Amino acid sequence: METIFISDANLLLKHFEKEIADCKSFRFAVAWASTAGGRGKHWQLIDSNQAKLTQAIVGIQFHQTEPEALFQLHKWNKLNIVYDTAGVFHPKFYLFENESSFSLITGSSNFTAGGFHKNTESNVLIKGNKKESIFSELEGFYRMCKEKSRIPDKMDLVAYQKEYERANLQSGYLSTYFAPEERHELITKAGDSLPDYSWENIFQFTWDEYVHGLKYLSITKYYNATFYRLNEEGWRTDTVYAIDSYKKIILEYKTLSNMPEEERKAFCGTLRISEKYGDSGWLGSMTGAGYFKQMVINEPKILDEFLNLIPIEGSVSEDSLNEYLSGILSIENVGNGIALRLLSAKRPDLFLSINKATGNDLFEMTGLKGLKNSQKKEEFIEAYIELHRRIYRSPWFQFNLPTDGLESKIAKYRVALLDCFFYEG
């Protein structure tokens, strides 16, 4: 019997390809499966070798298995699903057979794009003769997996698809993220000119694309919304430093009521220009909102009643966001722009400020009509929450973030900084 340790996901793919080519038949039992939009090389291998695949046993717990993978396997009459077990169904078991020999790949890799392409994984390839005792043990394990499963019908798959969409788009916590298996190819690379970008694809940007876009916004029609102060690399950076000042204010004083008047005005966007805080208009200038300006000076506790529902750090539930928006928008003369200015200033890591200059572009890009000057509070809140679900699933948001230099600040405020992409000036 031969044993090979596989310490790399890409190397795993090569072994998987060779074992399929050399075998007469194969089958597998896995916790999760995905197609990566049909473009995953792992999926393309079984797609082109359907005749050799005898059966696939796939788990659907935690809604991590992609519905399309189930539909395809069912179409090929190869699918068994594990609906529920006393514990978690968690195998990663790939068995390849010839007349007298077998190969097994087992370890940490699910049948997903991550497991076969990009994750840190460890697996073992075992080759042996079917007369060896281990083969009967492998057969016994596979039978046990099969006994836990059943063949689904089309209605089962449709029901699962609805559950999957609900689970992945309506996470109970806005700061709990689902990493998508599918990733589009780079739209452009660092150093390319800005016109290579297609703005409607921003939710598919990588981190490099996102940062590259911010850097080059100063040469587009978005001129007035960009990083005006130049650093040593030619970046315009006053957006970052402005948002940084808002965050420092809320971290120090905790509530609007505790802030000195100048800090409170800067945080709320009602301070025109000051030597200490510069232009406080980033994330939405409120200097023209007369009633709100007086409230900031004289009645900050009214705003605190709702703003305090949003924690300064950590997770924010959809219920808390809904309660905040419903409450603060019920205050007379407080509209969407004011509510989102305060929200984004307090949590620039999680929330985007939207106003008349950005709402139209966001509506065109997302189709969420509640973002476009909606007068219906419930419609606006629903659209705003849905927008952020999409933001949190974006590769640039889920990136392993830098911890040094200007990019570390950009990373901390990356949701609020989306304003630069949409602002028309």
Side-chain angles (χ1 to χ4, degrees):
M1 188 170 64
E2 179 185 4
T3 304
I4 299 171
F5 177 63
I6 307 171
S7 60
D8 177 82
N10 290 316
L11 185 60
L12 169 65
L13 185 66
K14 293 179 181 178
H15 281 290
F16 189 79
E17 182 175 15
K18 185 177 186 305
E19 294 308 315
I20 288 181
D22 292 346
C23 77
K24 189 171 182 179
S25 66
F26 71 101
R27 48 191 155 140
F28 59 85
V30 294
W32 305 334
S34 75
T35 74
R39 295 192 296 274
K41 292 181 181 178
H42 69 296
W43 186 263
Q44 291 175 354
L45 281 172
I46 67 164
D47 191 7
S48 58
N49 288 277
Q50 295 175 36
K52 290 186 177 183
L53 177 63
T54 58
Q55 191 174 55
I57 302 173
V58 181
I60 59 172
Q61 289 174 301
F62 310 117
H63 305 99
Q64 294 295 317
T65 290
E66 179 191 283
E68 183 60 27
L70 301 180
F71 280 111
Q72 286 294 326
L73 290 167
H74 183 263
K75 182 179 179 181
W76 301 339
N77 295 315
K78 312 286 187 179
L79 177 64
N80 277 40
I81 284 182
V82 177
Y83 284 84
D84 196 14
T85 64
V88 177
F89 184 73
H90 212 239
K92 292 86 178 175
F93 182 96
Y94 308 89
L95 185 61
F96 309 87
E97 295 182 65
N98 284 305
E99 292 293 341
S100 59
S101 63
F102 75 92
S103 297
L104 172 76
I105 293 176
T106 188
S108 65
S109 289
N110 274 300
F111 198 60
T112 64
F116 276 75
H117 295 282
K118 58 187 177 182
N119 292 351
T120 300
E121 305 279 4
S122 62
N123 294 276
V124 174
L125 170 61
I126 301 171
K127 294 173 174 282
N129 192 290
K130 286 185 174 181
K131 292 181 180 180
E132 296 178 78
S133 61
I134 189 174
F135 182 72
S136 62
E137 295 175 19
L138 298 178
E139 286 272 65
F141 177 79
Y142 190 86
R143 280 197 303 273
M144 181 184 69
C145 292
K146 188 173 180 179
E147 287 169 2
K148 294 176 181 291
S149 70
R150 71 176 175 86
I151 299 173
D153 59 29
K154 191 70 175 288
M155 292 303 295
D156 292 324
L157 300 187
V158 170
Y160 172 74
Q161 184 176 36
K162 292 179 180 178
E163 293 174 7
Y164 173 89
E165 290 172 352
R166 182 164 55 248
N168 282 273
L169 292 178
Q170 297 184 14
S171 167
Y173 280 84
L174 288 169
S175 49
T176 300
Y177 317 115
F178 293 87
E181 293 291 354
E182 178 180 351
R183 247 305 286 146
H184 290 203
E185 294 299 318
L186 285 176
I187 300 166
T188 187
K189 297 178 181 178
D192 292 345
S193 60
L194 187 64
D196 291 338
Y197 280 108
S198 181
W199 296 111
E200 65 269 19
N201 292 325
I202 194 169
F203 297 111
Q204 291 295 334
F205 278 8
T206 63
W207 174 252
D208 286 343
E209 291 170 316
Y210 172 89
V211 172
H212 178 61
L214 287 178
K215 182 173 182 178
Y216 283 92
L217 280 170
S218 59
I219 61 172
T220 73
K221 67 175 183 177
Y222 303 93
Y223 181 82
N224 291 330
T226 55
F227 293 12
Y228 187 76
R229 183 185 303 160
L230 298 179
N231 70 354
E232 65 276 6
E233 297 177 355
W235 284 64
R236 302 177 54 166
T237 57
D238 50 336
T239 316
V240 171
Y241 292 114
I243 297 174
D244 200 34
S245 71
Y246 309 151
K247 191 63 181 179
K248 287 176 180 176
I249 290 171
I250 194 68
L251 285 171
E252 180 175 357
Y253 297 104
K254 312 302 182 188
T255 68
L256 297 178
S257 302
N258 289 338
M259 295 175 190
E261 185 172 307
E262 183 179 11
E263 279 70 19
R264 194 186 310 151
K265 288 180 176 179
F267 183 86
C268 295
T270 62
L271 186 69
R272 288 189 179 275
I273 298 289
S274 76
E275 184 176 341
K276 187 175 182 180
Y277 294 109
D279 182 357
S280 73
W282 291 112
L283 307 184
S285 173
M286 299 297 138
T287 56
Y291 182 88
F292 176 64
K293 286 197 295 184
Q294 291 304 309
M295 186 181 297
V296 169
I297 296 171
N298 300 318
E299 301 178 289
K301 287 185 179 180
I302 295 176
L303 300 169
D304 274 336
E305 178 183 354
F306 302 107
L307 192 58
N308 290 347
L309 294 170
I310 304 298
I312 294 175
E313 297 178 302
S315 299
V316 179
S317 70
E318 289 192 4
D319 287 343
S320 294
L321 177 59
N322 199 330
E323 187 177 359
Y324 162 74
L325 289 172
S326 296
I328 202 162
L329 290 173
S330 67
I331 299 174
E332 185 179 2
N333 294 316
V334 172
N336 298 344
I338 292 172
L340 299 187
R341 158 72 199 212
L342 295 174
L343 178 65
S344 185
K346 186 170 186 177
R347 291 304 301 268
D349 56 328
L350 290 181
F351 298 113
L352 174 64
S353 181
I354 301 173
N355 54 36
K356 291 179 180 179
T358 58
N360 288 342
D361 270 6
L362 279 166
F363 165 70
E364 294 297 331
M365 185 177 297
T366 64
L368 298 171
K369 63 181 181 179
L371 300 178
K372 189 177 182 181
N373 299 324
S374 176
Q375 300 302 309
K376 296 180 179 178
K377 182 169 66 174
E378 294 77 13
E379 184 180 62
F380 168 74
I381 293 172
E382 182 180 354
Y384 188 77
I385 290 175
E386 173 58 26
L387 170 68
H388 283 72
R389 293 177 188 141
R390 299 183 192 183
I391 288 172
Y392 301 149
R393 290 171 61 86
S394 299
W396 58 264
F397 183 87
Q398 299 184 21
F399 184 71
N400 187 16
L401 300 169
T403 57
D404 297 313
L406 178 61
E407 280 198 31
S408 69
K409 288 190 180 294
I410 292 173
K412 284 195 296 183
Y413 310 140
R414 61 198 183 281
V415 177
L417 286 169
L418 276 180
D419 180 78
C420 295
F421 289 90
F422 304 120
Y423 189 85
E424 294 185 337

